[in-house]
Amino acid sequence: MDNFIVLILGGFIIGTLGTLIGAGGGFILVPVLLLAFPQLPPDVVTGISIAIVACNAISGSVAYARSGRIDFKAGLLFALFTIPGSILGVRATKYISPQVFTIVFGIILIGVGIFLFLNKKNGAEKPSSDRRSRNWKHHELIDNKGEKYSYSYNQTIGIIISVFVGFISPVLGIGGGIVHVPAMVQWLQFPVHIATATSHFILAIMSIISVVTHYLQGSYNDPAVVKMIIYLAIGVVTGAQLGAFLSHKLNGTTIIKALAVCLTIVGIRLLLHHL
């Protein structure tokens, strides 16, 4: 990991997969850092990861914006409610032991992965007649390929989920996409492609706030840490563009299944590391 070529290549892979499934790539980078650098405290691990997630999310959001698949109205609202939780989450990393952090992270990854793989729902149900309260919002989007997306979601539930995602994201350093994408698809009924793109946009805003908070509390004081972030970021920015491109080639079910398999494998690897 000290080799700049390895870091750039690793960043490219993280950027590609993270953008493809709208998860930011932190779910890959955090386990790698925990296994390769066990001496790093949790706040530094999450600080590195969230900085890379920010680079990935910004680059991927630009690509998704060009594709016309970001729901900006929902994205801005949900991003606003992730900010308080994000700040508190960064503060909380100072008080978490490395072993507990790793075990909890592994269990969460496995649980989410199994749920996604076994669940047959893929979101985007047709709006029903009982969704007429002011909490329900109906949106329609047409992407640059001419494909029309029509869906309804409960705004209140979306806000509650966003507050939780805002907190858990910097605590685990994963960007929150592994929670936000499944939640938007399974509970808010967003089409998968809109969910991944919008999640990435939310992630861009939320991760920037987390990076600033990490900087203020000194997570980036070590020059070696900054150097690692720079090399990883070079690969991530490029990989994010490829991930956004590939998302047009895969159907929603394939993307969700890929996310599920990745989460489960990484979670098991982390737990085995502590057995």
Side-chain angles (χ1 to χ4, degrees):
M1 286 292 288
D2 292 324
N3 187 300
F4 77 95
I5 296 178
V6 173
L7 290 170
I8 292 174
L9 180 60
F12 181 81
I13 295 172
I14 290 168
T16 301
L17 292 178
T19 301
L20 176 62
I21 59 181
F27 72 96
I28 302 173
L29 182 57
V30 169
V32 170
L33 292 175
L34 290 173
L35 295 171
F37 301 97
Q39 75 278 9
L40 290 178
D43 63 307
V44 174
V45 170
T46 57
I48 294 171
S49 178
I50 210 69
I52 298 308
V53 165
C55 295
N56 186 8
I58 293 170
S59 178
S61 293
V62 171
Y64 279 131
R66 289 199 299 263
S67 73
R69 290 183 171 181
I70 296 178
D71 185 333
F72 285 103
K73 283 187 177 181
L76 286 171
L77 178 67
F78 294 162
L80 176 65
F81 281 92
T82 65
I83 293 174
S86 179
I87 294 173
L88 291 174
V90 172
R91 298 293 185 185
T93 59
K94 281 285 189 180
Y95 307 100
I96 301 174
S97 73
Q99 184 172 10
V100 171
F101 174 84
T102 304
I103 293 174
V104 171
F105 187 84
I107 292 173
I108 290 175
L109 290 184
I110 293 172
V112 174
I114 292 174
F115 171 77
L116 290 179
F117 194 85
L118 297 179
N119 197 294
K120 298 183 182 302
K121 287 174 61 180
N122 287 310
E125 293 180 350
K126 293 183 179 179
S128 59
S129 57
D130 61 342
R131 295 182 177 181
R132 293 177 180 173
S133 74
R134 62 182 181 178
N135 289 332
W136 284 91
K137 303 296 179 181
H138 179 67
H139 286 189
E140 290 187 356
L141 289 178
I142 300 177
D143 66 16
N144 66 357
K145 301 292 185 182
E147 185 170 353
K148 183 178 180 180
Y149 299 90
S150 181
Y151 52 97
S152 295
Y153 64 93
N154 188 306
Q155 183 172 275
T156 301
I157 295 177
I159 289 172
I160 293 172
I161 292 171
S162 296
V163 173
F164 172 74
V165 168
F167 177 79
I168 202 70
S169 170
V171 168
L172 297 178
I174 54 177
I178 65 165
V179 178
H180 234 156
V181 172
M184 291 175 73
V185 173
Q186 304 295 332
W187 298 333
L188 300 182
Q189 307 303 326
F190 276 71
V192 172
H193 290 100
I194 301 300
T196 53
T198 304
S199 171
H200 231 58
F201 173 66
I202 296 169
L203 194 53
I205 298 173
M206 179 176 59
S207 58
I208 290 172
I209 301 298
S210 297
V211 168
V212 171
T213 308
H214 268 291
Y215 173 79
L216 293 176
Q217 77 172 25
S219 298
Y220 306 123
N221 289 341
D222 187 345
V225 169
V226 175
K227 188 176 180 181
M228 183 185 299
I229 290 173
I230 291 173
Y231 287 139
L232 284 168
I234 292 172
V236 159
V237 170
T238 307
Q241 298 300 309
L242 176 60
F245 171 78
L246 291 176
S247 72
H248 294 284
K249 309 297 181 181
L250 300 176
N251 62 46
T253 300
T254 302
I255 293 174
I256 291 297
K257 296 298 183 185
L259 172 59
V261 172
C262 289
L263 295 183
T264 305
I265 291 175
V266 173
I268 291 173
R269 181 66 184 87
L270 281 177
L271 292 183
L272 289 176
H273 183 66
H274 281 277
L275 293 179

